[in-house]
Amino acid sequence: MANPVRKGLSNILKKEANDIVILSSLRTPITRSYKGHLKDAYPEELLATVLRATLDANPNLDPALIQDVGVGVVLSELGGSKAGRMAMNHIRMPTTTSFYTVNRACSSGLSAITNVSHQIATGMINVGIGAGMESMTRNYGSKAIPTVLWPELKKSEVKDARDCIMPMGLTSENVAERYGVNRADQDAFAVASHQKALKAQQEGWFDKEIVPVHTQYQEVDKTGEKVGDVQQVTVTKDDGIRANASIEGMQKLKPAFKENGTSTAGNSSQISDGAAATLLMRRSTATELGLTSSIIGRWAGTQVAGCRPDEMGIGPAIAIPKLLEYTGLKTEDVGLWEINEAFASQAIYCLRELGLEKRLEEGRVNPKGGAIALGHPLGATGARMLAGLLPEMERQGLETGVVSMCIGTGMGMAGLFVRE
């Protein structure tokens, strides 16, 4: 079977029968863990919602033709495999559709989409869903650090082994110190993220990607005591965006991870809850099914690269050049960039290293804000970013886009997508 990953912009833009095309890419709202309106929802509940929305968005596709569902998830018990399969069955997808979960930390959602794309590319399946889910409210008790671990690793003579469980905030401080990213620039970047997200929300730029979640919500006070009765709510908007974000407010925040550090709660990504899903199939399959008019984009390649665990945030600066080489593209061939804002320190470093600062100013990098304003539900983030990339490419009239993120334990991943 011919390789659907082609080299060079002109070749990538050509439509071929073996292309891995996208028919929908949707997400739930992303809300603040412990405080937001999805705090009482279960991750598999959010997955069920976005899978149901995917079926509803593609009414002319027989669900029985969806052969596999891959879901990125980081924190859920048993890797989310049993609860996720239950959620898929709960919405009455056929039991002939198989299910699995993927955990590559912060890139799990993009990994799931890539895995499904590879399955289609090799002929293993014709139609599949790549998704992601996470409830950090329910499952972030250990701060994503293992509680049961072979003692030999904790005292390993290999620093890069020990550093795999270094708190992410300290890796952010390392990036800031080693690569000269100061506090003022981090705070300014964070404020801009909120301002862009606020404008996008006010202008309705998120509307095409978000599906509502009907769930229960229990209000609590600052001490955690319940206030009133459990409410039935419909959640339609991201709630981490701070309309009043300001440089002055950011400057008042104390370092969150290290005395005299520069990373704060304000210039770091929020812990969040949410889910997202992307429906993929081979173009020839879409043609056979009469679904070509439903194609909104296509996957064009993914690359992953490793780096030192104690500066994991530089991952996109390593993975993106590898992706460009793999696909035969130049930086200027990419119209839109979604680079995850795990921390302002690492996002700024990556943009500088990649030469994307002008693109940022032009609204071609995270034009609707990023994880600092929207949140970072670990397993869902990659899929969330794609759900936002495609409609923004349409809005700006752009043909190519890249989704990239750093990955805990020292990696970066980047995926290339084309709009149709």
Side-chain angles (χ1 to χ4, degrees):
M1 186 169 288
N3 185 356
V5 177
R6 299 187 291 277
K7 281 200 169 190
L9 183 60
S10 61
N11 290 325
I12 287 170
L13 294 179
K14 290 178 183 176
K15 297 179 180 180
E16 302 285 357
N18 65 334
D19 288 337
I20 313 305
V21 297
I22 298 168
L23 275 71
S24 65
S25 190
L26 302 169
R27 68 175 180 92
T28 69
I30 307 300
T31 70
R32 298 175 298 165
S33 295
Y34 308 112
K35 299 177 182 178
H37 279 87
L38 295 180
K39 72 178 181 66
D40 296 316
Y42 291 81
E44 56 272 18
E45 177 185 358
L46 301 176
L47 177 65
T49 297
V50 79
L51 289 179
R52 180 71 259 173
T54 298
L55 299 184
D56 292 344
N58 297 276
N60 295 321
L61 174 67
D62 180 354
L65 296 176
I66 300 172
Q67 293 161 287
D68 208 2
V69 176
V71 180
V73 58
V74 177
L75 303 173
S76 290
E77 183 184 16
L78 302 180
S81 59
K82 289 194 174 181
R85 171 71 170 175
M86 292 172 73
M88 190 191 82
N89 290 354
H90 178 70
I91 66 162
R92 302 185 187 280
M93 287 186 69
T95 55
T96 51
T97 301
S98 50
F99 181 93
Y100 66 98
T101 58
V102 181
N103 184 353
R104 198 195 284 271
C106 311
S107 72
S108 298
L110 179 58
S111 292
I113 290 166
T114 299
N115 287 0
V116 170
S117 297
H118 287 169
Q119 290 175 265
I120 297 170
T122 59
M124 180 179 176
I125 63 173
N126 298 317
V127 184
I129 293 175
M133 66 176 182
E134 205 75 77
S135 171
M136 297 184 76
T137 299
R138 291 190 176 275
N139 297 311
Y140 197 57
S142 72
K143 308 296 184 186
I145 294 175
T147 57
V148 179
L149 188 65
W150 181 30
E152 194 70 20
L153 294 179
K154 292 183 180 181
K155 59 182 181 181
S156 174
E157 295 180 358
V158 180
K159 182 177 182 295
D160 288 335
R162 300 194 308 272
D163 287 346
C164 285
I165 57 171
M166 175 180 285
M168 293 296 96
L170 294 182
T171 72
S172 173
E173 294 290 0
N174 287 343
V175 171
E177 291 174 15
R178 291 173 187 173
Y179 302 106
V181 185
N182 63 43
R183 168 73 184 267
D185 286 347
Q186 293 177 57
D187 286 348
F189 185 90
V191 171
S193 183
H194 283 283
Q195 291 173 339
K196 289 185 290 185
L198 179 63
K199 179 179 179 180
Q201 192 173 69
Q202 292 173 337
E203 296 289 337
W205 295 348
F206 292 122
D207 292 354
K208 280 191 175 182
E209 64 198 73
I210 293 179
V211 298
V213 178
H214 308 289
T215 188
Q216 293 186 337
Y217 173 75
Q218 173 65 66
E219 185 179 355
V220 295
D221 60 23
K222 291 183 179 180
T223 66
E225 292 297 317
K226 295 180 180 179
V227 177
D229 297 327
V230 174
Q231 307 170 48
Q232 298 293 324
V233 296
T234 299
V235 186
T236 60
K237 292 184 178 182
D238 306 316
D239 69 10
I241 303 168
R242 298 186 180 94
N244 61 348
S246 67
I247 295 294
E248 295 74 22
M250 290 288 176
Q251 290 173 338
K252 293 177 183 178
L253 298 175
K254 296 180 180 179
F257 311 107
K258 179 180 178 181
E259 188 177 359
N260 299 319
T262 59
S263 293
T264 70
N267 61 35
S268 304
S269 60
Q270 303 176 37
I271 58 172
S272 312
D273 308 321
T278 295
L279 176 66
L280 304 114
M281 66 177 64
R282 192 176 301 104
R283 185 186 298 279
S284 59
T285 301
T287 301
E288 291 168 9
L289 296 174
L291 297 173
T292 54
S293 63
S294 298
I295 296 172
I296 61 172
R298 66 183 184 269
W299 170 85
T302 301
Q303 287 288 286
V304 64
C307 62
R308 290 164 58 186
D310 73 345
E311 57 177 23
M312 65 91 206
I314 71 170
I318 300 171
I320 287 173
K322 190 174 179 182
L323 175 69
L324 295 178
E325 180 182 6
Y326 178 60
T327 55
L329 296 184
K330 299 176 182 178
T331 302
E332 54 266 32
D333 292 329
V334 178
L336 191 66
W337 302 83
E338 281 285 339
I339 299 179
N340 195 40
E341 300 169 356
F343 300 93
S345 62
Q346 57 82 210
I348 292 170
Y349 165 77
C350 289
L351 295 181
R352 290 175 179 173
E353 185 69 11
L354 295 164
L356 293 177
E357 292 173 287
K358 185 177 179 182
R359 289 286 189 169
L360 179 69
E361 295 172 1
E362 295 170 343
R364 298 289 184 87
V365 179
N366 298 2
K368 297 185 288 191
I372 289 173
L374 301 174
H376 180 18
L378 304 178
T381 286
R384 187 279 298 171
M385 293 172 73
L386 178 57
L389 179 84
L390 291 171
E392 184 61 17
M393 289 167 66
E394 180 185 21
R395 190 184 73 82
Q396 293 198 34
L398 303 170
E399 292 182 301
T400 57
V402 165
V403 168
S404 185
M405 66 287 293
C406 57
I407 304 169
T409 72
M411 289 176 279
M413 184 174 252
L416 174 67
F417 297 89
V418 177
R419 179 181 69 88
E420 294 199 6

